Amino acid sequence: MPIETEAKIKVDDLIAYRRRLEKLGASWQSKRIERDCFFDEADKSLHQNGCGLRLRQETDDQNNTKNILCFKGPVDNNGAFKQRREIEVGVYDLARTQMLQIRRPTGIDVH
């Protein structure tokens, strides 16, 4: 099962940071727009247990779109970076998947 390792870095001066990356040999690859919808139980038990369920629509700079449903396991904060297990599944029909929202009265909450 894949492990996500995440580091968040505050950048006060984006232009200076970009120039520094370019000096190190980095180059612009692509632009990506992400639209997320998070799901949880009505009692927020996923969040309370450090987990998450996300439906993401991702569009690149060529206007190609893909949809991904992702379960994020509890966070392991034993190191310098946040790590957690992730399960990602491609979603062919986003509109039907978004219909999961109709489950709201049965305990699944969308936010």
Side-chain angles (χ1 to χ4, degrees):
M1 192 171 307
I3 302 288
E4 173 194 47
T5 301
E6 180 176 286
K8 294 186 179 182
I9 302 166
K10 183 179 178 187
V11 176
D12 293 320
D13 184 344
L14 186 59
I15 294 170
Y17 199 80
R18 185 179 222 169
R19 286 184 185 140
R20 177 73 177 131
L21 287 171
E22 288 169 350
K23 281 184 181 179
L24 292 170
S27 62
W28 178 262
Q29 297 298 308
S30 68
K31 177 176 145 181
R32 184 172 61 191
I33 297 171
E34 296 175 348
R35 189 172 145 221
D36 294 336
C37 182
F38 291 88
F39 297 84
D40 204 339
E41 298 288 344
D43 64 0
K44 308 289 186 232
S45 59
L46 283 175
H47 179 73
Q48 290 172 358
N49 289 301
C51 299
L53 182 62
R54 178 192 69 216
L55 178 60
R56 170 174 285 167
Q57 182 179 59
E58 196 173 278
T59 306
D60 67 17
D61 52 3
Q62 302 297 313
N63 213 29
N64 299 309
T65 299
K66 65 180 177 179
N67 308 303
I68 305 160
L69 184 65
C70 178
F71 174 77
K72 295 174 168 278
V75 174
D76 177 7
N77 278 326
N78 292 331
F81 304 105
K82 181 171 84 172
Q83 292 189 319
R84 62 170 57 184
R85 284 196 274 181
E86 280 194 356
I87 302 169
E88 290 189 340
V89 180
V91 175
Y92 172 72
D93 189 337
L94 183 64
R96 282 184 176 220
T97 305
Q98 287 175 326
M99 289 296 292
L100 289 171
Q101 293 182 25
I102 65 173
R103 294 203 55 201
R104 182 178 279 180
T106 64
I108 298 287
D109 193 16
V110 180
H111 52 278

